[in-house]
Amino acid sequence: MGRMRAVRSRLSPPVLLALALPLLLAVAVAAIAINGRVRGVEGAGIGGGPASSEAAGSAPAAPETGPLALVPVDAPDATDPQCAALLAALPDALPAGAGPLPARPLADPAPAGARAWAAAPRPVVLRCGLPRPAELAPDSALLEVNGVQWLRLDDGVPDPVVVSYVAVDRPVYVVLTAPPDLGSGPLQAAADAVRTTLPATAIAVR
């Protein structure tokens, strides 16, 4: 198991938007199917979505398993062969506290360098080939998981909607975005795939 220590970096609005849009759009698609499957800025609780049903005391909604619509983001290296190797090495299911998270197909047109897994109330999304995060600085607190250095990014609130981890010591940047209550399983599985397919490199802080 990798070593993990809690760190928190404030996510700048442009990066937060780029990382959150896939989840937001996906929720919007789901919400329309059920009462307006909302997932945009994560309108959890809008139109009878997951938050409102939980507030009413009913069981949590099951994770969506249909095609996930991901919006395009700036990913200059998404078609790099190294990203292709990483995607091929990722497991079909990610470990999580409540049980394995199955892979979720991507709706067409699917962006290059991306994978997703079904989870509630939001999916887990991995993107490969994104730009260097602007938040990465010489004094950034990094998290080492299974031999990979990650920069944690969230929205800076006590209970973030999603948390993103950026692998910063590889030749391409890899971002894993997930709900914070899934445990460390998804990140550890991603770290294993990153470690075995992408060679370690010096961290480019500036």
Side-chain angles (χ1 to χ4, degrees), residues 13 15-32 36-44 68-71 104 121-123 125 127 155 161-162 177:
V15 176
L16 176 60
L17 180 61
L19 295 175
L21 278 177
L23 300 177
L24 308 185
L25 184 68
V27 173
V29 173
I32 292 174
R37 183 204 298 176
V38 308
R39 167 172 284 200
V41 110
E42 225 4 82
L68 176 66
L70 292 180
V71 298
R104 186 168 174 184
R122 304 162 190 88
V125 176
R127 300 252 196 180
D155 52 14
V161 171
V162 294
T177 300

Side-chain angles (χ1 to χ4, degrees), residues 28-117:
V29 173
I32 292 174
I34 305 184
N35 218 338
R37 183 204 298 176
V38 308
R39 167 172 284 200
V41 110
E42 225 4 82
I46 300 177
S52 59
S53 62
E54 290 182 34
S58 59
E64 295 289 341
T65 57
L68 176 66
L70 292 180
V71 298
V73 298
D74 183 22
D77 297 319
T79 58
D80 190 289
Q82 295 179 103
C83 283
L86 170 62
L87 296 188
L90 290 166
D92 289 334
L94 294 181
L101 308 177
R104 186 168 174 184
L106 300 182
D108 292 329
R115 285 281 303 275
W117 294 265

